[in-house]
Amino acid sequence: MHLEPSDCHKKHDDEVHAHCEVFPNSNVADGDDIRGAIHLLQKGDDPVEIHIALNGFDMTKENPKHSHGFHVHQYGDTSNSCDSLGSHFNPSRSSHGAKDAHTRHVGDLGNIDCDMNGNIDYKMTDETISLHGENSLIGRSIAIHEGPDDLGMGGDAGSLKGGNAGPKVACCVIALADPTHDHLHSFNSDDQEGVAKHEGHTGLHIHEVKP
């Protein structure tokens, strides 16, 4: 079907797309070579759709971890690789919690799991984060952690602060993206199979820098 230029603009003027190219944390000695991309889409004020496509998790090492805390941080500052991003994005200054918890950081999105080959391909949605407005994620960052997030249930101060997920092993900066570009070939907002698969497993976070 042929679309006139005005129709193309109308199709995308209520959508915000963002893209995040993931790279390994150069400060982690013998760290995994985790790479890939994360694409985010928001239509108007609808929940944000997220597609996570990563590889490079080393499953051959002793006691490999399948679950990884996944967070968006306050700053998109990679001047010190993944260690200059700040803390969980938390404009409401709440305690850390699970993605579906009543009390959580804006960026608390749980854990993501890699398969036996060290790959991740998940789709999920979240109603708390946004790609526009005062608390937009544009210009912030996403970090993948070494281990699982305990979702604030660990019983100590570290759990309530960040989930005890360990050091950041990879990260990326969330950039505003061209809505006409197919950033992830497999990303299809009408395909909810991956969303359903991930919603049963809480797994992403967003970080905030402390003053």
Side-chain angles (χ1 to χ4, degrees):
M1 180 179 68
H2 176 71
L3 292 177
E4 296 297 330
S6 59
D7 294 328
C8 292
H9 180 267
K10 185 179 296 183
K11 177 182 178 181
H12 298 290
D13 62 5
D14 66 339
E15 297 182 0
V16 179
H17 291 249
H19 197 68
C20 209
E21 289 289 326
V22 176
F23 59 90
N25 187 352
S26 61
N27 294 318
V28 177
D30 300 320
D32 296 355
D33 188 27
I34 300 166
R35 299 182 186 274
I38 300 163
H39 191 75
L40 302 93
L41 165 64
Q42 186 172 25
K43 300 176 181 178
D45 292 323
D46 289 352
V48 175
E49 303 172 32
I50 306 168
H51 186 184
I52 307 153
L54 305 174
N55 58 53
F57 293 88
D58 185 0
M59 306 308 292
T60 64
K61 60 187 178 183
E62 186 176 0
N63 299 319
K65 294 181 174 64
H66 287 271
S67 293
H68 301 269
F70 189 86
H71 313 158
V72 181
H73 291 236
Q74 177 76 8
Y75 291 152
D77 177 6
T78 58
S79 58
N80 189 25
S81 193
C82 299
D83 293 334
S84 48
L85 308 179
S87 302
H88 293 194
F89 180 45
N90 183 25
S92 62
R93 301 189 180 276
S94 301
S95 295
H96 176 68
K99 177 180 181 292
D100 58 354
H102 177 70
T103 299
R104 54 168 273 194
H105 301 156
V106 169
D108 286 344
L109 299 172
N111 295 291
I112 52 174
D113 285 353
C114 60
D115 61 23
M116 293 301 296
N117 296 315
N119 302 319
I120 294 178
D121 189 358
Y122 278 148
K123 295 177 186 177
M124 63 178 293
T125 62
D126 189 74
E127 298 181 356
T128 301
I129 62 175
S130 180
L131 298 182
H132 56 76
E134 182 180 0
N135 293 322
S136 171
L137 302 190
I138 303 298
R140 305 191 192 281
S141 55
I142 293 176
I144 296 95
H145 287 254
E146 181 181 52
D149 180 349
D150 65 19
L151 310 178
M153 304 296 289
D156 57 30
S159 177
L160 293 177
K161 179 181 178 181
N164 293 322
K168 307 171 190 70
V169 293
C171 63
C172 61
V173 176
I174 304 168
L176 188 65
D178 181 351
T180 65
H181 181 64
D182 185 11
H183 298 277
L184 287 173
H185 178 70
S186 61
F187 184 73
N188 180 353
S189 61
D190 295 326
D191 177 9
Q192 296 299 307
E193 180 180 356
V195 173
K197 176 181 177 182
H198 188 81
E199 288 296 348
H201 175 82
T202 52
L204 256 142
H205 309 194
I206 296 178
H207 292 227
E208 176 185 43
V209 169
K210 291 184 175 180

